[in-house]
Amino acid sequence: MAEERRVVTVGGKGSSLSSSSVFEIANGLSRPRIDSSALSKVSSSSNSKTSNNTNAPTQSSAFSVLSNLTPEESKASLVVLLNKLLLSSSSSAAVTQLYDIILNDVSSISFDNTIDGVSPGEFSVAAISGISAILDHRSSALSVIIDAVAALSCEALGADISAFNLNDSGDGSTAKDVVSVAADVKILLNGSKFVNKNSDELAVSSVPVVHGKFREICRLLHSSTRVQLNSAVVSNSGSSGTASAMCTTLFSLAVALKDLGNISYNRAKRTRDDEISAMLQKECPRPDQLKAVFASLVSAHSDEEYVKFSHDVNSLLMMVEKIVSWEALAAFFSLEEKDFISGNTSVCEDSAKAGKKGGKKKKILGKGTTALLQFLKDRLLSMPIQTEAFENLVRHFSSLLDPKDSGFGTLLRKVKDIVESNESRRLPKLPKGTRDFAKEQMAIREKAFSIIVEVFKRHGASALDTPAFEMRETLMGKYGEDSKLIYDLADQGGELCSLRYDLTVPFARYVAMNGLTSFKRYQIAKVYRRDNPSKGRYREFYQCDFDIAGQFEKMMPDFEVIKILTELLDELDIGEYEVKLNHRKLLDGMLAICGVPQEKFRTICSSIDKLDKQSFEQIKKEMVDEKGLSDEISDRIGTFVKWRGPPVELLSKLKQERSFLENNESSLALDELDTMFKALERSRCIDRVVFDLSLARGLDYYTGVIFEAVFKGATQVGSIAAGGRYDNLIGMFGTRQVPAVGISLGIERVFAIMEQVQKDKNQEIRATETQVLVSILGDDSALAAELVGELWNAKVKAEFMIHKKVMKHIDRARDSRIPWMVLVGERELSEGVVKLKDVVAAIDYEIPRGNLVNDLCRRLDM
């Protein structure tokens, strides 16, 4: 009794046509049914058009569009065209004609026949859409299967899988699909003893990148195909553009398929089985054949023969499917005995029997690949194989990977289940824009924090800590256009809160709440921004802030924070940097002189602040098109923002500009800068400062001096510190205005520079400060506790290890770079001594047990 085929409704208002449905209909796995309401709508529309346009010419198209296509591609094309005609309420005659052809044998179509109401361009778009649906369905399936096959090959080849040790960096610099492929293959290989036996080779190490790119393009193809399958017919004039746009995605797919086929073939040909190798050379498509098909499709695309191009891409896909099938076959029979099929006995049962009889040692494959191999064996065992000829077995195996085979869907689900199962589940991942820090990185961070805190305390600052989240009303309206980056917390039926965006606003809120009029504080804590992660830009990161609030001598707090900034960057020893400096009042005066309305000062400042990342032409376009400035005003701004140079020299030049002296804001700013530059000169740090009129700092709360430190070395990280004066911010939270100035060090970017410096100098980083390893050569844990307890009580940094083999202890000390060891074995115990070992010099000393602590402290200069 024939299996009942699934029915796919075409043209229904509430249903959409999918790539899987087109594939199933094209291969006879499902049958189409026209939605009755769509059919009646077509009929009424056709009658209306006939009565109103009795003399109108009718477009027609020949079926020759399908002449070079396979029956599968032709039927898919007609199904898509049928759906488009139904959605367009086209001629009922055309709909009936197409429906009859689809229900019957497509191969019997006469290519000289025509279909009315459809232009050649519309027919071509439908054909490309139909082939795209097949490509979408088969490519999506292949993107799952190829990872599983690659995992089997890794075990069959004993491959080095270090290339799969990838993690999402969190800053957007790592392709997500590449990381995802690496994670899936590692899940399949979890626990395998068959990998990492041979050296790295390109066909394995390139899997994450090649498979990841294929995944990305499959997703793009699925999105564009879904739209085309469920859109009405386009006009003949618009069909060319639609076809070209669709084939752009297919071209990317073709490139990815060629790369995929090449690395799959290179893994397959490495098989150690002579019989399979001979068959592979004879029957498996080769890279030169892939190259020939790719050249054909490139030529068709260049000649704008888009239907032929789509057909060639599908031909390339089928060739790659065959290559992957052969790779799977080669890996399968490299890992399993070829005669396992004999007697219809499962290998698991054979292995169990062999184990009882003391037979061959059980293979330890990955948890995922073991389950996959057993599934494939069970499927083969269930097939009615007539002969035991190996060629017959190969044919049956290949059918398992055929998308048209009834069991293929089961295999696909099995692979997905293995990858997603709890038994070998995917490692948890970090949220985008965040990262973990390993012990070596933490050693660098702790060193940096200690330097920063020491500098802050040198200047008389007290530590302060504030909550990680604030009332939403506290943060809003303080950051200009960047307010959209604030992380809002979900409303739990109480107060509306947000994660802090910086440490300055919480500091201002604290000063106002506590009625302080003078406070010099530092704070090192995490802040949060809903930004797009990029290299050096995160959503969670540390800031190190130093602020001075209160009335002091004119410009002296401003001088001090800049001096602190230069001390910090010098003592962190990151290399060359410069401190760009400007004044908000000077900037406002410049904008007024240029003719910018006062209400637009802040928004224009936000535009100018982007000049370190964009050209002035891009900024000008933003100011004119989006913010309403005239070209003339924008050009005046462009003249001034190019001014930069040594502080005293540029200040002198500005004082000669009459317009700046006549403007009250800029005149006051020049006077304040004169005072500060003199202080910086006398303190010998002005050579680090550059006066730069393009520096704007987009935050709304700045009122005076603004500055920004930029690293000038090879590591591109952008701004590493910034700050300025904010005299009105504290007053927003209370009744009293308290002037303040502060600096914020972007410590995450400084860390990136320090890590690169360490790497460039080939410096090894000690993750711990352990001075002594207490090594017990045996199993006496009480003795270990006694000795290490004495050292801890004497404030010696010590660890202990209990193991019978002395080299295990020495390796531990060397790996952790621990300078001293205390070794105690049976001989030392009986003689009442301990052995001290200088690990670096490889010199041993015997000392009395009672002198251990004093002797060690002396050698450690304690």
Side-chain angles (χ1 to χ4, degrees):
M1 183 176 176
E3 185 179 342
E4 184 69 23
R5 292 187 296 169
R6 188 171 74 92
V7 176
V8 175
T9 302
V10 181
K13 185 178 179 181
S15 60
S16 60
L17 191 63
S18 68
S19 294
S20 297
S21 297
V22 173
F23 175 83
E24 289 176 5
I25 295 172
N27 287 284
L29 304 175
S30 296
R31 59 185 180 85
R33 179 182 65 83
I34 298 178
D35 184 83
S36 56
S37 61
L39 194 58
S40 61
K41 186 177 179 182
V42 165
S43 299
S44 61
S45 175
S46 296
N47 294 334
S48 173
K49 288 176 182 177
T50 302
S51 61
N52 293 331
N53 301 283
T54 53
N55 299 316
T58 302
Q59 292 189 96
S60 64
S61 180
F63 282 97
S64 58
V65 171
L66 309 176
S67 59
N68 293 316
L69 304 187
T70 65
E72 177 193 39
E73 293 168 340
S74 297
K75 198 166 187 178
S77 303
L78 296 178
V79 170
V80 173
L81 181 57
L82 174 63
N83 193 56
K84 286 179 175 290
L85 291 176
L86 289 167
L87 293 173
S88 306
S89 301
S90 299
S91 162
S92 59
V95 168
T96 303
Q97 183 183 4
L98 280 176
Y99 190 49
D100 288 342
I101 294 172
I102 293 168
L103 290 178
N104 295 296
D105 188 5
V106 176
S107 61
S108 64
I109 298 174
S110 172
F111 296 127
D112 294 329
N113 290 351
T114 60
I115 181 169
D116 293 335
V118 179
S119 70
E122 293 167 347
F123 206 154
S124 293
V125 168
I128 296 166
S129 300
I131 298 172
S132 294
I134 295 171
L135 287 165
D136 176 26
H137 177 80
R138 299 181 81 131
S139 295
S140 296
L142 183 61
S143 70
V144 176
I145 295 298
I146 53 174
D147 295 338
V149 172
L152 289 174
S153 287
C154 286
E155 290 186 308
L157 300 173
D160 177 2
I161 61 168
S162 58
F164 299 93
N165 296 329
L166 298 178
N167 289 308
D168 192 340
S169 63
D171 62 2
S173 62
T174 310
K176 293 173 72 173
D177 289 303
V178 173
V179 175
S180 182
V181 166
D184 287 351
V185 175
K186 283 181 70 177
I187 287 169
L188 289 159
L189 294 172
N190 183 26
S192 175
K193 301 296 184 184
F194 270 52
V195 293
N196 294 324
K197 294 183 177 181
N198 297 313
S199 59
D200 174 41
E201 63 173 274
L202 189 61
V204 172
S205 62
S206 59
V207 165
V209 174
V210 174
H211 289 205
K213 189 63 180 177
F214 184 64
R215 271 195 194 185
E216 179 187 338
I217 294 167
C218 286
R219 198 164 51 247
L220 182 63
L221 174 64
H222 179 73
S223 177
S224 61
T225 303
R226 183 178 55 195
V227 173
Q228 281 302 320
L229 293 183
N230 295 285
S231 60
V233 291
V234 294
S235 64
N236 196 42
S237 60
S239 60
S240 178
T242 302
S244 176
M246 293 170 66
C247 289
T248 299
T249 304
L250 295 185
F251 197 96
S252 297
L253 178 68
V255 174
L257 282 168
K258 180 170 70 69
D259 293 342
L260 194 67
N262 283 332
I263 66 168
S264 178
Y265 182 86
N266 287 336
R267 290 191 298 269
K269 73 177 184 179
R270 294 262 329 266
T271 179
R272 292 183 289 272
D273 188 292
D274 293 337
E275 192 173 5
I276 294 175
S277 182
M279 292 181 67
L280 185 142
Q281 293 293 329
K282 182 180 176 182
E283 299 184 29
C284 178
R286 301 183 307 276
D288 61 311
Q289 294 172 307
L290 289 178
K291 188 176 180 181
V293 174
F294 187 77
S296 174
L297 67 87
V298 168
S299 176
H301 189 274
S302 178
D303 295 339
E304 298 185 4
E305 297 176 1
Y306 293 131
V307 176
K308 181 182 184 304
F309 165 78
S310 304
H311 164 75
D312 285 345
V313 176
N314 194 33
S315 299
L316 184 66
L317 171 61
M318 289 189 286
M319 290 179 72
V320 173
E321 286 175 338
K322 288 180 181 177
I323 293 172
V324 171
S325 179
W326 274 100
E327 181 192 353
L329 185 80
F332 181 85
F333 286 111
S334 291
L335 295 169
E336 292 298 330
E337 299 296 332
K338 285 191 288 185
D339 58 355
F340 80 90
I341 201 76
S342 302
N344 205 32
T345 305
S346 100
V347 174
C348 286
E349 292 171 4
D350 288 344
S351 298
K353 292 174 184 176
K356 290 177 183 177
K357 296 175 182 177
K360 288 186 291 185
K361 189 177 180 180
K362 186 179 179 182
K363 297 175 182 178
I364 304 178
L365 301 175
K367 291 182 180 178
T369 50
T370 298
L372 181 59
L373 281 171
Q374 188 59 52
F375 174 82
L376 291 171
K377 286 183 286 189
D378 291 343
R379 288 285 299 165
L380 282 172
L381 290 168
S382 67
M383 290 180 170
I385 300 176
Q386 301 301 320
T387 71
E388 293 184 11
F390 185 59
E391 292 82 357
N392 198 40
L393 189 61
V394 167
R395 182 173 59 80
H396 281 79
F397 185 93
S398 298
S399 70
L400 293 177
L401 300 180
D402 184 353
K404 295 192 287 291
D405 186 82
S406 59
F408 181 77
T410 309
L411 173 62
L412 205 61
R413 287 191 294 274
K414 182 64 179 178
V415 174
K416 289 180 178 179
D417 287 345
I418 292 171
V419 172
E420 297 170 3
S421 68
N422 290 326
E423 182 181 1
S424 53
R425 62 182 177 273
R426 182 188 306 276
L427 290 172
K429 60 176 288 187
L430 285 170
K432 190 196 298 187
T434 65
R435 58 176 177 162
D436 291 321
F437 294 93
K439 55 186 180 180
E440 292 82 8
Q441 293 172 304
M442 285 305 300
I444 295 175
R445 293 167 75 87
E446 288 176 349
K447 177 185 176 183
F449 283 142
S450 66
I451 291 171
I452 293 165
V453 170
E454 197 279 326
V455 171
F456 287 162
K457 288 185 174 180
R458 186 189 306 157
H459 288 262
S462 304
L464 175 69
D465 190 27
T466 56
F469 54 92
E470 297 274 348
M471 297 292 291
R472 193 172 300 171
E473 62 192 38
T474 299
L475 302 181
M476 298 309 293
K478 312 298 189 305
Y479 304 106
E481 294 182 3
D482 283 348
S483 291
K484 63 181 180 291
L485 303 182
I486 293 173
Y487 264 114
D488 291 332
L489 300 180
D491 182 4
Q492 302 292 337
E495 299 169 330
L496 295 178
C497 298
S498 301
L499 294 176
R500 61 188 173 207
Y501 178 90
D502 66 4
L503 301 178
T504 305
V505 170
F507 167 68
R509 188 263 310 149
Y510 175 85
V511 171
M513 277 183 62
N514 291 277
L516 304 179
T517 57
S518 178
F519 189 24
K520 184 184 284 190
R521 83 88 170 86
Y522 75 87
Q523 183 174 358
I524 299 175
K526 288 182 176 180
V527 297
Y528 304 87
R529 297 184 183 178
R530 196 164 48 85
D531 209 345
N532 288 320
S534 59
K535 190 169 182 60
R537 184 182 294 272
Y538 297 90
R539 290 181 167 180
E540 177 194 61
F541 55 94
Y542 271 99
Q543 281 190 341
C544 303
D545 278 26
F546 179 100
D547 291 83
I548 303 173
Q551 294 284 355
F552 296 95
E553 297 81 0
K554 178 183 175 182
M555 299 305 293
M556 291 310 290
D558 308 70
F559 147 72
E560 185 175 5
V561 295
I562 293 174
K563 182 69 171 72
I564 288 170
L565 175 56
T566 61
E567 289 177 15
L568 284 173
L569 298 180
D570 287 342
E571 294 183 31
L572 288 168
D573 194 24
I574 62 170
E576 286 299 309
Y577 66 90
E578 69 177 17
V579 179
K580 297 195 292 185
L581 183 145
N582 200 359
H583 197 297
R584 212 35 159 333
K585 287 186 172 67
L586 180 64
L587 194 60
D588 287 352
M590 180 192 78
L591 294 178
I593 292 165
C594 292
V596 178
Q598 187 172 359
E599 66 272 13
K600 292 188 177 182
F601 280 8
R602 294 290 75 84
T603 186
I604 297 302
C605 278
S606 293
S607 297
I608 295 173
D609 194 41
K610 301 172 187 174
L611 276 169
D612 60 335
K613 305 179 189 72
Q614 301 177 24
S615 67
F616 180 73
E617 288 306 313
Q618 292 173 299
I619 300 303
K620 178 182 175 181
K621 189 174 187 303
E622 179 181 308
M623 292 191 295
V624 173
D625 295 349
E626 298 177 25
K627 300 186 176 179
L629 289 191
S630 67
D631 285 330
E632 183 182 0
I633 292 175
S634 297
D635 289 337
R636 286 183 202 152
I637 293 172
T639 302
F640 287 121
V641 296
K642 294 174 185 175
W643 288 12
R644 76 189 304 270
V648 176
E649 183 181 313
L650 185 54
L651 180 66
S652 176
K653 180 179 177 180
L654 285 169
K655 283 185 173 181
Q656 295 172 22
E657 290 286 331
R658 185 174 175 182
S659 56
F660 280 92
L661 295 176
E662 290 177 348
N663 181 278
N664 290 334
E665 293 284 283
S666 59
S667 177
L668 176 62
L670 292 174
D671 183 51
E672 290 181 349
L673 289 172
D674 187 34
T675 302
M676 189 176 70
F677 289 163
K678 287 176 181 177
L680 290 171
E681 270 191 306
R682 297 293 287 272
S683 68
R684 297 187 179 88
C685 66
I686 199 167
D687 59 319
R688 295 290 199 179
V689 178
V690 176
F691 193 0
D692 189 339
L693 293 193
S694 71
L695 181 66
R697 302 292 297 149
L699 302 182
D700 280 359
Y701 53 65
Y702 287 125
T703 58
V705 168
I706 49 177
F707 45 86
E708 182 176 275
V710 179
F711 179 60
K712 297 176 72 177
T715 306
Q716 298 298 311
V717 294
S719 169
I720 52 177
R725 174 161 287 280
Y726 51 97
D727 287 347
N728 301 325
L729 182 59
I730 295 173
M732 292 182 181
F733 302 110
T735 57
R736 181 183 301 171
Q737 288 288 5
V738 181
V741 63
I743 179 178
S744 179
L745 183 68
I747 194 63
E748 303 294 346
R749 295 180 178 183
V750 172
F751 289 148
I753 297 168
M754 293 177 72
E755 287 171 8
Q756 188 60 47
V757 168
Q758 296 267 13
K759 186 177 179 181
D760 293 342
K761 291 181 178 179
N762 268 336
Q763 293 179 344
E764 289 188 21
I765 303 165
R766 277 199 71 189
T768 70
E769 297 179 4
T770 304
Q771 297 167 300
V772 181
L773 177 64
V774 175
S775 297
I776 305 300
L777 303 176
D779 55 7
D780 193 342
S781 56
L783 178 61
E786 177 187 328
L787 290 173
V788 79
E790 290 180 13
L791 296 178
W792 287 337
N793 291 338
K795 305 297 186 286
V796 176
K797 297 170 182 174
E799 297 181 49
F800 63 90
M801 181 177 176
I802 304 169
H803 201 282
K804 293 179 181 179
K805 294 184 178 180
V806 68
M807 282 311 300
K808 291 287 186 181
H809 294 272
I810 294 174
D811 288 343
R812 164 77 177 277
R814 285 173 178 167
D815 291 344
S816 300
R817 299 173 64 203
I818 300 172
W820 288 94
M821 295 176 66
V822 175
L823 293 112
V824 182
E826 290 183 5
R827 185 184 67 80
E828 286 80 11
L829 273 175
S830 63
E831 296 178 7
V833 297
V834 295
K835 184 187 290 183
L836 279 186
K837 185 177 187 67
D838 184 332
V839 179
V840 178
I843 299 174
D844 295 344
Y845 307 91
E846 271 195 8
I847 60 172
R849 164 71 180 83
N851 292 349
L852 172 62
V853 174
N854 289 336
D855 195 285
L856 258 179
C857 288
R858 176 178 60 80
R859 294 176 189 275
L860 294 171
D861 293 327
M862 294 178 63

